[in-house]
Amino acid sequence: MCMQKDKVWVECNHRAFFRFEPCVRFGRGCFGAGGDHEEVPVQDICSDCKRKDPNPAAREADRLRREMELRARRAEEERIAEIKRQQSEARRKRSAPTDITNSRTTRATRSSSRRTAAKDDKDDTIPDLVKEMVVEVRKGRKTMTEDQDIQEPPRKRKRPGEKPAKPLKKDAANDSNDEDLEFEDVPIPAPTIQTMVRDTDDEEDDDDDDIQFEDVNINGAGASARYEGPKTLNLDLTAFMAASTPKKGDRRKALGREEKDRRIEAHKVHLLCLLAHVELRNRWCSDPEVQDALRPLLSQKTVGFLLPRASLNQFSRTESFKRGLSEAKEAFKTRFEITERGLQRALWADNIDQLKDYKPPPDAETTRDKADFLKAAQTLKGSRDVGAQLFCALLRSVGVEARLVCSLQPLACVPGAPTMPKQSKLTTKPKQPSKAEQYLAAMAKHETKFTPTSGTIPRSRLGHPDATGYNVPSLLAPSSPAPPPVPKIPIKKIKNESPFPVYWVEVLDHAHQKYHPVDPLVTFSQFNTKVYEPPSSDLLNSLTYVIAFNPDSTCLDVTRRYAKAYNSKTRRWRIDGLVSSRNGLRGERWLRSALRRYQPPFISDLLQIELNELKAIEIKEPMPRNVMDFKDHPVYALERHLRRNEVLVPGAQVSGTVSAGAKAPLERIYRRREVKVARTREKWYRLGRVVLPDEEPVKILPKIKRKRKGGLDSDDDGDGDGGGNPAFIESQTELYVPPPVVNGKVPKNKFGNLDVYVPSMVPRGGVHIPHEKARQAGFILGVDYAPALTGFEFRGRHGTAVLRGVVVPEECEKAMEAVIQGLEEMEVEEEEERKRRGVLRLWRRMLKGLGIWERIMEGVDEEAEAAAAEASMQKDKGKEVEMRDVDGSAGPFHDDDDDDEDEGGGGGGFFPTANLDSEDEGGGGFMAEEDEGGGFMIE
């Protein structure tokens, strides 16, 4: 029968096919190997495990350690077996002259007893030297027998249908030969000791004689301790349960509808700001001063390669252009130095506490205005983003048509996006050296390194004390001095920066009319679009929006050129990948309107070629391999991802199958165009369609139970049968035809309105006038009209009818428009009249106020007014005189010596004023203006 051999890797326990050995009957009655396969063990791991193993050095060290342990264990077993063998051999030597024959008497045959008797007769004649030689030969034969037993090959695996091999019987001739062994130079054969293998435990008695026992305290370790009496045991399972319960990680809270809408609005604003930022940098790249500062970096030869002659063929022009780009990229890379950090991906914070302690990196980009950009062009230092922008300006300075490409990094607009990492407050411990470093350090201590200086050779071992100070003159010719090394610009690496660029350049190959990417600082690549998309695990960079700006500030979305799975993965992170927002504006429509400002005035032939290329890339995208990538895919769909109101059309064709795992069943893949939206009768009616008669629903929508405040459940509106709401697709409906207007009578519902959700629901013979004064105009004309119900305004789950205009017969349309125009003109006239009356009222109030003031002022005497004016003038004059006299005096407080010098002394706290025109000096503290005395002024 045929046999199949399988390799079995011992360390990883994996199995694989190794070899097939056919039998002689293969193909003639035998159809191959059976179920039992022969295993070939391999002391290693399989190649798949080697590829998956991230640390092959550690695996090799582990394998060597296990092999050394196995060898040590085998050596220990062999050593123990050798000791036991020597001990048993020593016992046999001691008991050989006396006990062997007596102990084996019961089992010996007659022939053996006769040989033993003969041996005893001859023992006296055997020399001692011969006896020692016999013992050594016996010992050697026993050791060879044991080695053969240990090194016995593994038993062969039994094949199906094969009978077990019978044990071979020992030939009697062999026994006799073993017993009658003859040695060279020995006249008398040595006696052979009969041995056997016991199946019982009898031989354990011999081994137990050599075992040494240790004294053990039977009473236990705590027997000598004093008994302290009973103690109370307290059982507390709280701490045990807390310790045994696995700690759950911080689960991210689900976003509510308001938070989702807020993130969408923040995403839109951030996206617009980034577009304006890139547009500004693109204008700086076209600045003449910046280009003049960068143009000397390229030689005339490089410029000639970048601008090939038009007389060359297409291939030669492309190759010349590639060579020029390579030289320009190499020249710019060797001159530019990265000293700052560029743009990174914006992340949401889990809570506001993360933003309190947030600080921007100290090496963030410092280019804020055009002057800083010009300085970076002159010094050739900055971030890698500025470097890509300067490289774009360099190519534009020599006439190459280059576009500035930026991968925008806005805040995510969908839930599940990565958040800001938590900043650990613990101080980081110094890194401990690894075992390899410790080993190298230990070896370095014991190594002897000879470092002879130039021109001197250590000769201390010659024995002379001045031998080391003698310099032997060199017999070689003096060598020419080496050229000074070329100074290299130190490359400063910014830590924790994404290995994928945010800015790069696209250049136009005129020979093929196609744009190609070039990156001189990060990936050092050109004409390769597959190296710009970072993985999903990169928290610092995400390829979501790739916008290319032309020198004339127009741009184009080229994300599909660089994304490997645009429809499967990239599109779901964009605003145009969302279905809709709360305000009803689709994301795709919003993005189109946001980029309309940067669109060219007309579509050129080159732009049309590029648009067709991007569309072809999107169409050629292969089918996803992951189940989750089929969710919201624009081309393919799975039945598990269908929404509540989506169904497959009858007879949908299967495009393929996919499995969620090795043990999961296969799922069918359908085209997205074969997925239709199913709606209830009420929703189709609000869209102006009705379900055809005798149509079977394609799906029964289950009712959604919502809890009220009182604790009761409420179901969605349905047919009331308790089995759900029947849903129909569009092919099962037709346009709704309302009843026509007959004899000027407009049909109405039981509420006195007319349902006009869509324009097609206006009845034949009627017209819808959506004006707020249409109802008043119809009432003035006295025609039959019906208010138009155009929808409902929902607040929670309660909706209010929205009435907009009226529906009137067609013959009344002109009259309704004329009356509405007259009502609008009357409203304008009433507004003007209201304003005129308001102005007149203000004038009336002002005139009344002026009249009142005039009447009040007419009763005032002119003479009294003149006297009052003169009195006020005299009062002002007296104050001036008093202030002048006070300035000439010593003040109210003075020394006693000054009082005797005064000509007139007064009492009290006031001093008499001097140099007055009046004759009477007066006393007291009041000033007299005329001849009257006293302290009061007479007017």
Side-chain angles (χ1 to χ4, degrees), residues 889 902 904-907 910-914 916 921-924:
S889 62
D902 294 339
F910 298 92
F911 298 97
T913 58
L916 294 178
E921 294 179 358

Side-chain angles (χ1 to χ4, degrees), residues 474-670:
S474 177
L475 300 178
L476 300 177
S479 59
S480 60
V486 179
K488 295 184 179 180
I489 299 178
I491 300 176
K492 180 180 178 181
K493 293 185 179 181
I494 306 298
K495 295 182 179 180
N496 299 329
E497 198 167 16
S498 175
F500 297 89
V502 176
Y503 281 88
W504 61 90
V505 182
E506 280 187 353
V507 292
L508 177 62
D509 182 12
H510 289 277
H512 291 85
Q513 292 293 301
K514 187 177 180 180
Y515 281 95
H516 298 280
V518 180
D519 179 27
L521 297 177
V522 183
T523 59
F524 314 106
S525 62
Q526 66 181 29
F527 286 53
N528 187 7
T529 60
K530 303 300 182 182
V531 296
Y532 295 92
E533 183 178 12
S536 58
S537 58
D538 193 349
L539 297 180
L540 303 177
N541 195 347
S542 175
L543 193 140
T544 309
Y545 301 92
V546 181
I547 309 298
F549 273 86
N550 295 306
D552 57 353
S553 296
T554 59
C555 73
L556 181 65
D557 185 3
V558 293
T559 311
R560 291 170 288 183
R561 179 179 296 162
Y562 300 97
K564 300 175 183 177
Y566 177 78
N567 292 327
S568 303
K569 299 182 182 296
T570 307
R571 191 172 179 269
R572 66 177 58 183
W573 296 98
R574 294 165 55 97
I575 188 67
D576 53 350
L578 301 178
V579 178
S580 62
S581 57
R582 290 284 300 276
N583 55 6
L585 182 63
R586 293 181 62 88
E588 185 177 358
R589 191 185 312 164
W590 180 89
L591 183 61
R592 193 183 304 113
S593 63
L595 296 177
R596 188 177 295 118
R597 177 178 179 272
Y598 305 100
Q599 290 181 356
F602 61 93
I603 299 178
S604 60
D605 296 340
L606 179 61
L607 181 58
Q608 187 63 46
I609 293 173
E610 189 172 9
L611 292 176
N612 295 338
E613 178 189 354
L614 296 176
K615 188 65 177 178
I617 293 175
E618 184 178 1
I619 294 175
K620 292 179 181 179
E621 182 178 338
M623 183 182 297
R625 299 180 180 179
N626 190 4
V627 173
M628 292 304 300
D629 293 342
F630 285 95
K631 189 175 182 180
D632 297 333
H633 197 280
V635 181
Y636 303 101
L638 295 180
E639 194 171 0
R640 65 156 67 182
H641 293 150
L642 297 181
R643 293 183 175 84
R644 181 173 177 268
N645 60 338
E646 291 181 346
V647 294
L648 292 169
V649 296
Q653 298 293 330
V654 179
S655 301
T657 57
V658 67
S659 176
K663 299 181 180 180
L666 294 177
E667 299 185 31
R668 299 177 180 178
I669 303 173
Y670 301 93

Side-chain angles (χ1 to χ4, degrees), residues 276 278-287 396 551 553 597:
V278 181
E279 180 189 10
L280 180 62
R281 293 298 177 95
N282 180 64
R283 287 204 303 265
W284 291 354
C285 294
S286 301
D287 185 70
R396 290 181 183 179
S553 296
R597 177 178 179 272

Side-chain angles (χ1 to χ4, degrees), residues 203-261:
E203 60 184 1
E204 293 181 0
D205 300 335
D206 301 335
D207 298 338
D208 294 343
D209 297 339
D210 302 329
I211 297 177
Q212 298 180 1
F213 295 92
E214 184 180 0
D215 297 334
V216 179
N217 187 7
I218 302 177
N219 296 329
S224 61
R226 178 178 294 181
Y227 177 70
E228 298 180 357
K231 295 181 179 180
T232 304
L233 180 63
N234 296 327
L235 296 178
D236 186 8
L237 300 180
T238 305
F240 174 75
M241 295 298 295
S244 61
T245 303
K247 295 183 179 180
K248 297 182 179 179
D250 297 337
R251 298 185 62 183
R252 188 180 301 175
K253 296 182 179 179
L255 300 179
R257 180 172 294 180
E258 295 181 358
E259 178 66 18
K260 291 180 181 179
D261 293 345

Side-chain angles (χ1 to χ4, degrees), residues 162-350:
E162 184 178 359
K163 295 182 180 180
K166 296 181 179 180
L168 297 177
K169 294 183 179 180
K170 202 168 186 179
D171 194 359
N174 295 337
D175 294 341
S176 61
N177 294 335
D178 292 341
E179 295 173 354
D180 300 333
L181 286 176
E182 295 181 1
F183 299 92
E184 295 181 1
D185 301 333
V186 178
I188 302 174
T192 304
I193 302 174
Q194 184 178 359
T195 60
M196 63 177 298
V197 179
R198 296 182 182 178
D199 295 334
T200 61
D201 297 335
D202 296 340
E203 60 184 1
E204 293 181 0
D205 300 335
D206 301 335
D207 298 338
D208 294 343
D209 297 339
D210 302 329
I211 297 177
Q212 298 180 1
F213 295 92
E214 184 180 0
D215 297 334
V216 179
N217 187 7
I218 302 177
N219 296 329
S224 61
R226 178 178 294 181
Y227 177 70
E228 298 180 357
K231 295 181 179 180
T232 304
L233 180 63
N234 296 327
L235 296 178
D236 186 8
L237 300 180
T238 305
F240 174 75
M241 295 298 295
S244 61
T245 303
K247 295 183 179 180
K248 297 182 179 179
D250 297 337
R251 298 185 62 183
R252 188 180 301 175
K253 296 182 179 179
L255 300 179
R257 180 172 294 180
E258 295 181 358
E259 178 66 18
K260 291 180 181 179
D261 293 345
R262 187 177 68 88
R263 293 197 173 191
I264 290 175
E265 296 302 325
H267 177 84
K268 293 179 180 178
V269 174
H270 196 187
L271 190 61
L272 293 177
C273 294
L274 291 175
L275 284 172
H277 169 73
V278 181
E279 180 189 10
L280 180 62
R281 293 298 177 95
N282 180 64
R283 287 204 303 265
W284 291 354
C285 294
S286 301
D287 185 70
E289 297 182 3
V290 176
Q291 294 182 1
D292 293 341
L294 296 172
R295 191 177 294 110
L297 296 178
L298 300 181
S299 62
Q300 293 296 332
K301 182 178 180 182
T302 304
V303 175
F305 286 132
L306 290 173
L307 303 175
R309 301 189 309 271
S311 58
L312 299 176
N313 56 17
Q314 189 181 39
F315 177 78
S316 301
R317 292 172 62 187
T318 302
E319 291 299 320
S320 175
F321 186 65
K322 288 182 178 180
R323 182 175 179 181
L325 282 177
S326 300
E327 294 182 1
K329 181 179 63 176
E330 190 66 26
F332 184 81
K333 181 182 66 175
T334 55
R335 298 288 186 88
F336 189 81
E337 181 181 359
I338 300 176
T339 59
E340 296 175 345
R341 187 182 302 273
L343 183 66
Q344 293 182 358
R345 182 181 184 181
L347 302 176
W348 288 100
D350 291 333

